[in-house]
Amino acid sequence: MDAAELRELQAPLKKRYRDDPPTSRTPLEAEASFGNGGITASVQTWAGPVTAGLHPATGGDGSEACSGDMLLQALLACAGVTLRSVATAMGIDIGDGELRATGMFDARGTLGVSRDVPVGVQDISVVAELQTDADDAALAKLGELTERYCVVGQSLAQPPTIVVRKRSSP
């Protein structure tokens, strides 16, 4: 896909969102359930169910997916698609590329060992190594715009609301 094809694809959407802003509100949804036993949650993904469990730093044995790793994977998925979209719009040709997300969490926070330690993944960074002829200025702009328009990356700036309630009996 080139920049003209991308603009043609997105033009009617952009027009609709400008003309009728409420139509741009796009719901997202994920589902998970218990039932596998142990301290796990079975998350329904596009590729099928994934069982998430405790990280070895918090008592797990490493046999289940780590939600922190899944967070970074979602970030890479979004950053990768956003980067390709922005590169296409900018006319930057990318032959190949690899993205890597890293982060760190201090288990003392989530285990309640110390209230002074933040809970959550900290020091998150995404590095994209691209096969391209683009100059450093274009790559810097590509990085800036990718960060600006990456939905998952921007979502990390605001914590989610978590509500726990009793389920109605069937």
Side-chain angles (χ1 to χ4, degrees):
M1 180 177 294
D2 64 18
E5 291 171 314
L6 180 60
R7 277 192 293 277
E8 184 179 331
L9 178 71
Q10 293 180 338
L13 295 169
K14 288 181 176 186
K15 180 179 179 349
R16 178 171 28 139
Y17 301 154
R18 282 186 190 105
D19 294 346
D20 189 6
T23 65
S24 69
R25 303 263 311 152
T26 305
L28 300 172
E29 185 174 296
E31 294 183 8
S33 62
F34 304 132
N36 295 352
I39 300 177
T40 62
S42 181
V43 181
Q44 300 305 315
T45 73
W46 178 82
V50 172
T51 301
L54 292 170
H55 186 279
T58 63
D61 64 9
S63 64
E64 288 101 16
C66 167
S67 55
D69 290 335
M70 293 170 73
L71 174 74
L72 296 181
Q73 291 161 359
L75 175 58
L76 281 185
C78 189
V81 170
T82 303
L83 186 144
R84 291 300 295 250
S85 182
V86 170
T88 299
M90 292 176 65
I92 296 175
D93 184 40
I94 298 174
D96 193 9
E98 291 189 13
L99 289 85
R100 180 172 178 84
T102 58
M104 181 73 64
F105 80 97
D106 188 326
R108 293 175 300 165
T110 194
L111 289 176
V113 171
S114 173
R115 288 187 179 267
D116 298 331
V117 175
V119 176
V121 181
Q122 307 289 312
D123 305 321
I124 297 174
S125 68
V126 174
V127 175
E129 293 185 356
L130 308 176
Q131 184 179 50
T132 183
D133 292 332
D135 63 24
D136 289 344
L139 292 178
K141 188 66 172 178
L142 177 60
E144 176 187 320
L145 293 174
T146 299
E147 185 174 312
R148 178 178 176 184
Y149 295 121
C150 178
V151 171
V152 173
Q154 290 297 321
S155 298
L156 291 171
Q158 296 182 10
T161 300
I162 297 176
V163 176
V164 179
R165 61 179 165 232
K166 188 183 274 191
R167 181 193 253 180
S168 301
S169 299

